[in-house]
């Protein structure tokens, strides 16, 4: 399957043709020997250069404690860019020109003398490049150095001279309300708020920026964007990756600080804020700040019933051997750590627009699949009119913003299945970035650097916004600190997190809307390598079903007529004697042979806990294959090759 035939391509938009290049400046990077520089900043500069968006009057002065010279710096960047660039093809000529504008000067953050040398270097580069005296100072260091660097920049005369000065601060901006206040004070002591650009890389994502474009450029949705029409909103930021080698940082952070307080609250603000008067940076940021200040700040007892947390444990194979270590076994993590790697919660926005609309958030590491989605669930239509038809229950309309890895927007609704009777099927309208725009993947930092040189702070957090976000997170942090979770680790790697997350939303009579993407279906041998059109049709035909603990889903000997995908929960596979031979969990599937041929089931399957399933009925699968006969032959082949089943076309589509 090629990218362009996927339901949603994971490509971002190519820069808009004809845009002016960035403004002249010297970019001074502190922490130039670190990860961020090689993984994101330099690839972003390279993308800007490739797209003709980087000023010719531009140079980089990298600095860090590492003692290397300019030639060595250029050599290591030239090596790293091969690994981290995001273009389909690498352009040596563009890189060659760019890397010649990279310079390096080692400096110790606590040495004014070193900073004076940096100042002289910047001046020389400025003259050479004609950068109009402008300096963009990028703090790609740990935040604990920000204050010291600011101090020494001032002492070394960086504030003097012509041109502008702008400071870009990387996250995390504080680790709680008090540290964020101290950090803000340390930076604003030397620089005016208008000169400070606090990065949240989610705001650099096209799909996040598009939240505003979508809401405010389309007249159709805004009238519905309120408590009268919207039932609930869900934010999912789920990662398949574990903590990796970042244990040292992560163990002091946890998902609430790492993902929710910043990235998720920023998206929340974009999605729920009032329309700004204009796209002027402060017009937008004022509305964001207003929105965040309307989010209910919880008391400790509210935290207990509105937020849950989790920590992933090891993964085991069927024989019980550990195949992947849990969080507490990760490098640089305390073996008794109580840091959360998963959190789910419910927030309330106490304003006219959103009163009573629950906002659910869920994020974690080592989960079943990677996916950032925002699901806006509208109020359901009444079923009454369908009385006497086959339609028993209507699903709510949902607007799904696919932020990543799929990038697009999908509107889910119901339509009549062609035929003489009234029956409904979930269908969608979707917009995919990959289809609509020429694709070239961006890191998200291009637009940040570009906007900063243009003095456009829209995509950056303002001091008050950061504080508002901490205000919401602080009581949760406090409560968790006081009452460390006794049951950690409480979710297995590769699942949808702890049971408590499902119970949290189930208490409100709702459930998490799991977005099944083509790559999830492709994990089944039955659908591996299948055409995007087929996968899409299957996704639309999945019906959700919840089963209680102890309920039997499949009886041995029953005729197989459907397949199951486990969204969350656990099921047990029982042999003829009723003994458990296997346990299946989130992301696992069973019964898919039932789609190929109606034969007696070979095992009984029983829910071990409350389990959310997606069911695909054979009747729907056959209908899809009748609608797309071009895929039926390949399914016959899959049946033979992957399941050793010889079946006839009629059995498949009849
Ligand atoms: C970072 C977090 O801010 O965002 C990481 O520190 C996380 O833990 C990352 O993995 C996710 O970013 P993205 O762009 O991959 O969603």
């Amino acid at each position: 399957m090629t990218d362009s035939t996927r339901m949603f391509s994971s490509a971002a938009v190519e820069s808009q043709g004809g845009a002016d290049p960035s403004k002249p400046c010297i970019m001074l990077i502190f922490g130039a020997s670190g990860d961020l520089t090689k993984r994101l900043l330099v690839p972003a500069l390279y993308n800007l250069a490739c797209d003709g968006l980087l000023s010719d009057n531009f140079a980089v002065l990298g600095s860090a404690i590492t003692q290397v010279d300019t030639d060595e710096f250029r050599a290591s960047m030239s090596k790293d860019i091969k690994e981290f660039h995001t273009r389909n093809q690498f352009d040596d000529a563009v890189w060659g020109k760019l890397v010649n504008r990279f310079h390096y000067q080692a400096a110790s953050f606590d040495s004014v003398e070193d900073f004076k040398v940096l100042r002289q270097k910047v001046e020389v580069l400025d003259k050479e490049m004609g950068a109009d005296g402008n300096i963009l100072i990028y703090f790609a260091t740990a935040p604990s150095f920000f204050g010291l660097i600011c101090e020494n920049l001032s002492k070394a005369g960086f504030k003097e001279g012509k041109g502008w000065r702008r400071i870009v601060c990387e996250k995390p901006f504080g680790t709680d309300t008090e540290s964020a206040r101290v950090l803000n004070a340390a930076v604003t002591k030397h620089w005016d708020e208008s000169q400070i650009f606090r990065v949240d890389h989610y705001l650099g994502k096209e799909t996040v920026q598009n939240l505003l474009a979508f809401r405010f450029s389309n007249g159709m949705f805004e009238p519905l964007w309120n408590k009268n029409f919207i039932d609930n909103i869900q934010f999912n930021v789920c990662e398949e990756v574990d903590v990796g080698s970042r244990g040292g940082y992560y163990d002091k952070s946890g998902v609430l600080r790492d993902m929710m307080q910043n990235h998720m609250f920023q998206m929340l603000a974009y999605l729920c804020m009032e329309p700004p008067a204009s796209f002027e940076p402060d017009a937008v940021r004022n509305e964001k700040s207003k929105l965040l200040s309307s989010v209910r700040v919880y008391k400790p007892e509210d935290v207990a019933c509105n937020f849950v947390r989790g920590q992933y444990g090891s993964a085991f194979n069927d024989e019980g051997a550990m195949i992947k270590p849990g969080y507490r076994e990760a490098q640089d993590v305390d073996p008794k750590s109580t840091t959360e790697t998963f959190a789910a919660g419910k927030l309330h926005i106490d304003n006219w627009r959103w009163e009573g609309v629950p906002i659910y958030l869920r994020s974690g590491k080592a989960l079943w699949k990677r996916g950032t989605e925002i699901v806006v669930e509208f109020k359901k239509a009444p079923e009454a009119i369908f009385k006497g038809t086959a339609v028993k229950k209507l699903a709510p309309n949902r607007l799904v913003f696919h932020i990543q890895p799929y990038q697009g927007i999908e509107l889910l609704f119901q339509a009549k299945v062609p035929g003489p009777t009234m029956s409904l099927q979930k269908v969608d309208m979707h917009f995919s970035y990959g289809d609509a725009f020429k694709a070239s993947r961006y890191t998200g930092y291009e637009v940040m650097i570009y906007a900063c040189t243009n003095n456009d702070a829209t995509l950056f957090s303002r001091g008050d916004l950061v504080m508002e976000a901490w205000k919401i997170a602080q009581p949760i942090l406090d409560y968790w600190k006081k009452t460390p979770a006794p049951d950690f680790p409480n979710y297995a790697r590769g699942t949808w997190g702890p049971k408590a997350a499902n119970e949290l939303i189930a208490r409100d009579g709702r459930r998490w809307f799991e977005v099944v993407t083509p790559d999830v279906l492709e994990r089944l041998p039955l659908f591996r390598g299948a055409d995007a059109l087929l996968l899409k049709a299957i996704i639309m035909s999945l019906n959700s079903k919840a089963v209680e603990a102890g309920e039997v889903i499949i009886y041995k000997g029953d005729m197989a007529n459907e397949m199951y995908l486990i969204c969350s929960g656990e099921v047990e596979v029982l042999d003829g004697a009723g003994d458990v031979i296997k346990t299946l969990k989130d992301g696992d599937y069973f019964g898919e042979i039932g789609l190929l041929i109606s034969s007696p089931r070979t095992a009984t399957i029983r829910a071990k806990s409350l389990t959310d399933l997606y069911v695909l009925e054979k009747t729907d699968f056959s209908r899809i294959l009748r609608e797309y006969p071009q895929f039926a032959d390949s399914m016959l082949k899959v049946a033979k090759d992957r399941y050793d089943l010889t079946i006839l076309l009629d059995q498949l589509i009849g």
Side-chain angles (χ1 to χ4, degrees):
M1 181 167 52
T2 64
D3 250 356
S4 61
T5 60
R6 279 190 173 276
M7 176 167 80
F8 296 109
S9 153
S10 59
V13 191
E14 184 109 354
S15 65
Q16 295 117 0
D20 289 336
S22 60
K23 294 285 185 292
C25 68
I26 302 301
M27 182 172 175
L28 169 58
I29 305 177
F30 287 102
S33 58
D35 237 33
L36 180 83
T37 305
K38 67 178 183 199
R39 281 177 188 275
L40 293 161
L41 296 183
V42 171
L45 290 172
Y46 170 67
N47 279 337
L48 287 173
C50 286
D51 293 336
L53 290 172
L54 194 63
S55 168
D56 284 338
N57 310 97
F58 172 87
V60 168
L61 178 60
S63 184
I65 308 168
T66 319
Q67 294 288 338
V68 290
D69 62 20
T70 289
D71 286 343
E72 287 166 315
F73 182 61
R74 288 179 181 173
S76 80
M77 291 297 136
S78 296
K79 186 170 146 277
D80 293 332
I81 190 72
K82 293 280 166 58
E83 186 180 346
F84 297 117
H85 79 87
T86 61
R87 316 292 289 188
N88 294 334
Q89 269 175 353
F90 189 73
D91 188 329
D92 284 301
V94 173
W95 174 252
K97 221 175 126 192
L98 179 65
V99 78
N100 279 334
R101 295 193 263 164
F102 285 7
H103 304 263
Y104 186 86
Q105 176 63 49
S108 174
F109 298 151
D110 58 4
S111 159
V112 184
E113 290 316 305
D114 285 0
F115 275 61
K116 284 185 180 155
V117 176
L118 288 177
R119 181 74 187 107
Q120 282 158 10
K121 282 259 173 190
V122 169
E123 256 169 44
V124 171
L125 287 174
D126 177 64
K127 286 212 180 73
E128 241 175 73
M129 304 306 296
D132 298 340
N134 301 329
I135 315 175
L136 189 163
I137 306 171
Y138 205 110
F139 293 177
T141 69
S144 49
F145 294 116
F146 291 0
L148 184 60
I149 297 175
C150 285
E151 198 76 43
N152 284 332
L153 283 170
S154 297
K155 288 186 184 152
F158 269 91
K159 287 177 162 174
E160 285 119 53
K162 68 169 192 151
W164 48 254
R165 307 283 179 272
R166 290 180 196 140
I167 307 293
V168 184
C169 302
E170 264 298 328
K171 69 149 254 201
F173 208 84
T175 53
D176 57 13
T177 312
E178 180 51 20
S179 60
R181 192 194 58 74
V182 171
L183 194 55
N184 256 338
V187 180
T188 51
K189 182 171 159 204
H190 300 278
W191 309 98
D192 186 71
E193 179 63 44
S194 64
Q195 295 176 289
I196 305 166
F197 291 68
R198 296 174 193 78
V199 171
D200 184 310
H201 80 277
Y202 262 62
L203 298 181
K205 293 184 192 285
E206 284 292 346
T207 42
V208 174
Q209 293 172 48
N210 189 49
L211 293 173
L212 290 192
F214 177 87
R215 280 191 59 195
F216 302 128
S217 68
N218 297 298
M220 186 174 151
F221 290 100
E222 202 49 29
L224 307 179
W225 220 248
N226 57 55
K227 62 183 177 191
N228 299 325
F229 299 95
I230 292 178
D231 179 80
N232 74 92
I233 302 175
Q234 300 182 15
F235 289 80
N236 273 323
V237 181
C238 298
E239 298 187 280
E240 213 177 328
V241 291
D242 59 17
V243 69
S245 56
R246 297 170 69 224
Y249 150 76
Y250 197 88
D251 211 31
K252 292 192 200 74
S253 169
V255 73
L256 188 75
R257 291 185 173 97
D258 189 50
M259 298 297 280
M260 288 190 166
Q261 184 273 345
N262 39 55
H263 309 323
M264 294 183 81
F265 288 1
Q266 292 285 340
M267 289 195 287
L268 168 70
Y270 267 8
L271 197 85
C272 298
M273 71 189 208
E274 294 301 311
S278 71
F279 270 126
E280 284 300 307
D282 275 335
V284 173
R285 299 194 299 176
N286 288 345
E287 292 306 335
K288 284 172 75 176
S289 175
K290 235 169 76 189
L291 186 282
L292 290 181
S293 64
S294 307
V295 173
R296 194 177 303 165
V297 175
Y298 282 147
K299 298 192 182 63
E301 60 272 24
D302 300 327
V303 178
C305 48
N306 287 306
F307 266 81
V308 300
R309 60 201 146 140
Q311 188 189 74
Y312 66 86
S314 318
F316 299 92
N317 67 12
D318 287 345
E319 284 74 51
M322 201 232 287
I323 42 174
K324 276 189 184 167
Y327 176 70
R328 288 178 176 180
E329 283 81 50
Q331 184 189 331
D332 300 326
V333 168
D334 177 354
K336 292 198 181 108
S337 173
T338 54
T339 301
E340 82 288 353
T341 60
F342 175 98
K346 176 167 68 167
L347 294 176
H348 300 272
I349 303 171
D350 290 327
N351 67 13
W352 272 64
R353 190 188 278 261
W354 296 115
E355 185 203 31
V357 179
I359 310 289
Y360 298 102
L361 310 169
R362 186 170 56 152
S363 181
K365 290 207 184 282
L367 294 175
W368 175 36
K369 72 174 180 90
R370 176 176 181 229
T372 299
E373 299 107 13
I374 305 171
V375 182
V376 178
E377 202 166 287
F378 290 88
K379 291 195 166 157
K380 193 174 64 62
E383 276 97 6
I385 193 170
F386 289 94
K387 214 163 40 201
T389 73
V391 179
K392 295 286 167 265
K393 206 162 174 273
L394 296 176
N397 296 122
R398 293 185 177 100
L399 185 63
V400 183
F401 294 91
H402 294 269
I403 304 294
Q404 64 183 24
Y406 299 116
Q407 302 187 327
I409 299 176
E410 195 181 8
L411 180 62
L412 293 163
F413 57 104
Q414 289 151 116
K416 182 179 171 298
V417 178
T421 59
M422 173 57 82
S423 69
L424 300 177
Q425 144 94 49
K426 202 168 39 169
V427 292
D428 80 334
M429 292 198 276
H430 81 266
F431 144 69
S432 147
Y433 269 84
D435 292 346
F437 300 104
K438 192 164 165 257
S440 168
R441 217 149 48 78
Y442 261 25
T443 65
Y445 275 76
E446 297 74 5
V447 65
M448 305 275 209
I449 298 169
Y450 182 85
C452 183
T453 75
N454 278 293
N455 202 21
D456 179 353
T458 317
L459 301 179
F460 297 85
S461 234
R462 218 171 41 191
D464 58 325
L465 260 159
V466 173
M467 296 313 290
E468 290 297 350
W470 278 120
K471 234 179 11 199
I472 304 165
Q474 190 64 53
I476 308 168
L477 292 172
D478 291 345
Y479 180 77
W480 285 354
K481 194 168 169 200
K482 257 197 284 166
T483 49
D487 61 343
F488 278 5
N490 60 355
Y491 71 96
R493 302 176 69 111
T495 65
W496 256 132
K499 267 200 295 192
N502 293 337
E503 290 160 5
L504 174 101
I505 193 165
R507 281 201 291 276
D508 295 346
R510 299 189 179 88
R511 51 194 289 171
W512 298 104
F513 180 71
E514 306 300 3
V515 175
V516 177
T517 45
D519 60 312
V520 166
L521 279 187
E522 279 196 80
R523 293 182 194 178
L524 279 68
L526 185 60
F527 301 128
R528 200 176 309 130
D531 191 280
L533 209 56
L534 177 65
L535 295 173
K536 177 76 187 302
I538 290 169
I539 290 169
M540 286 300 131
S541 298
L542 295 173
N543 291 312
S544 53
K545 179 174 177 171
V547 281
E548 297 291 333
E551 203 177 312
V552 173
I553 304 163
I554 282 177
Y555 282 99
K556 184 168 189 270
D558 276 2
M559 290 305 274
N561 277 315
E562 73 285 321
M563 169 208 109
Y564 299 85
L565 185 65
I566 307 176
C567 288
S568 64
E570 279 187 317
V571 303
E572 295 170 324
V573 184
L574 311 175
D575 63 12
D579 291 329
V580 177
I581 47 176
K582 205 174 181 181
T583 303
L584 303 173
K585 53 176 176 42
D586 314 17
D588 288 337
Y589 52 86
F590 54 93
E592 76 275 26
I593 287 181
L595 298 180
L596 299 171
I597 186 166
S598 292
S599 57
R601 296 286 193 195
T602 54
T604 294
I605 299 197
R606 186 177 62 197
K608 191 176 169 191
S609 59
L610 173 69
T611 302
D612 276 340
L613 299 161
Y614 270 125
V615 188
L616 178 62
E617 303 284 346
K618 179 163 171 43
T619 47
D620 284 324
F621 188 57
S622 298
R623 174 182 49 77
I624 294 167
L625 292 178
R626 284 198 301 276
E627 279 163 14
Y628 300 104
Q630 68 270 35
F631 303 130
D633 279 346
S634 59
M635 272 299 148
L636 292 178
K637 194 164 169 346
V638 165
K640 179 81 198 109
D641 296 350
R642 300 182 195 167
Y643 295 87
D644 201 19
L645 275 179
T646 307
I647 49 176
L648 301 171
L649 185 63
D650 266 1
Q651 287 174 294
L652 194 61
I653 64 171

